[in-house]
């Protein structure tokens, strides 16, 4: 079942192991999801929770990533376990 939401993102419901999940497809042009949003990245198998915006690394100060995140549901285990990624790498949103 697929429907168009008011924000321009497509919502899909799926049933897995008697649990209904609602996921949202990202439309081109959308930018900056809220902190706490759960997403799936291109090539990823685990979900990621957005924890920060516009992030740089000490050794690469001229590069800015759109988001910083942690594995979900594990959370922030150590600073070195943070994931840096851009909006274009998000393929699905599980929770806003």
């Amino acid at each position: 079942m697929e429907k168009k939401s008011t924000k321009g993102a497509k919502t899909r419901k799926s049933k897995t192991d008697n649990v209904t999940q609602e996921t949202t497809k990202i439309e081109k042009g959308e930018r900056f999801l809220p902190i706490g949003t759960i997403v799936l990245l291109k090539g990823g198998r685990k979900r990621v929770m957005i924890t920060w915006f516009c992030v740089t690394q000490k050794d690469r100060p001229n590069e800015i990533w759109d988001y910083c995140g942690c594995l979900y549901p594990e959370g922030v285990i150590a600073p070195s376990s943070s994931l840096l990624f851009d909006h274009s790498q998000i393929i699905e949103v599980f929770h806003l």
Side-chain angles (χ1 to χ4, degrees), residues 7-9 24-33 87:
K7 287 196 168 196
T24 305
K25 291 284 186 188
I26 298 294
E27 295 281 327
K28 286 185 179 181
E30 275 189 52
R31 204 69 169 149
F32 296 115
L33 296 165
H87 192 84

Side-chain angles (χ1 to χ4, degrees), residues 7 30-39 49-53 67 93 95-96:
K7 287 196 168 196
E30 275 189 52
R31 204 69 169 149
F32 296 115
L33 296 165
I35 290 175
T37 300
I38 311 297
V39 299
M49 182 174 68
I50 295 172
T51 57
W52 206 257
F53 299 110
Y67 301 105
V93 175
H95 175 73
L96 285 172

Side-chain angles (χ1 to χ4, degrees), residues 62-73:
N62 295 331
E63 282 189 74
I64 299 174
W65 282 268
D66 294 337
Y67 301 105
C68 179
C70 63
L71 292 178
Y72 178 83

Side-chain angles (χ1 to χ4, degrees), residues 15-32:
K15 200 165 191 174
T16 309
D17 299 330
N18 296 326
V19 176
T20 301
Q21 284 184 328
E22 190 165 320
T23 61
T24 305
K25 291 284 186 188
I26 298 294
E27 295 281 327
K28 286 185 179 181
E30 275 189 52
R31 204 69 169 149
F32 296 115

Side-chain angles (χ1 to χ4, degrees), residues 39 41 44 46-53 55 57 65-72 74-76 78-86 89:
V39 299
L41 303 177
K46 293 220 37 129
R47 296 177 186 184
V48 174
M49 182 174 68
I50 295 172
T51 57
W52 206 257
F53 299 110
V55 184
Q57 281 181 302
W65 282 268
D66 294 337
Y67 301 105
C68 179
C70 63
L71 292 178
Y72 178 83
E74 290 87 342
V76 178
S80 61
S81 67
S82 294
L83 305 166
L84 302 177
F85 57 97
D86 288 320
Q89 294 174 275

